[in-house]
Amino acid sequence: MYSLFMNAEKLLLPAGLKEGDHVLEVGCGPGFFTLPSAEIVGDKGFIYAIDINPFAIRKVEKKIAKAGVKNVKTMIVDVTETTLKDSIIDIAFFFGVIHSLHSIIDRVVLEMHRILKDEGLISIQKSVKFKDGLVDIITQNNKFKFIEEKKRMFVFQKIK
Ligand SMILES: C[S@@+](CC[C@H](N)C(=O)[O-])C[C@H]1O[C@@H](n2cnc3c(N)ncnc32)[C@H](O)[C@@H]1O
């Protein structure tokens, strides 16, 4: 378990997660990154783990219950309609999911802009299927600026 956490942290820390953050995990799947994220943000932070697949969410919920973790909320929602309030998220991360969002990326960008706090971040793990042009697509409507690429991730910051 410890080594799993260490491996997850190797991506989550460069993605920008830190103690106290309110985080959106997009397409959490069965939750490989969910508990390590909750550990990083700690008691003062919070994780919203979302997925459109109810089976995936059920698996995450079992993990949360088993670990007794209190700072995670799971939601069966589409990333384009998270139902979250405006400007409450410090960072949204997209691991292993961006290739599924190609056709709806404009709506994803708008929704992330709505729920992120000013200067909030999105971190997107590169996909072989959706790599070229990703920076242009995310930044084209002046909702986000490109910050850096590290550890196979693109990091963007919300423009007010
Ligand atoms: C390959 S899994 C990645 C799981 C996890 N992020 C990881 O890296 O281990 C992609 C997940 O994204 C979810 N997904 C795909 N499109 C989505 C959407 N529009 N909104 C929310 N979740 C979505 C899928 O249901 C799936 O569980």
Side-chain angles (χ1 to χ4, degrees), residues 11 25-34 50-54 56-57 75-82 93-101 104 108 125:
L11 285 178
E25 180 183 8
V26 177
C28 59
F32 178 74
F33 293 100
T34 310
I50 69 165
D51 205 291
I52 44 170
N53 183 340
I57 290 293
M75 301 165 76
I76 305 169
V77 291
D78 190 287
V79 61
T80 60
E81 289 177 272
T82 62
F93 72 92
F94 297 66
F95 288 178
V97 65
I98 196 66
H99 58 279
S100 310
L101 308 178
I104 54 170
V108 175
Q125 195 179 45

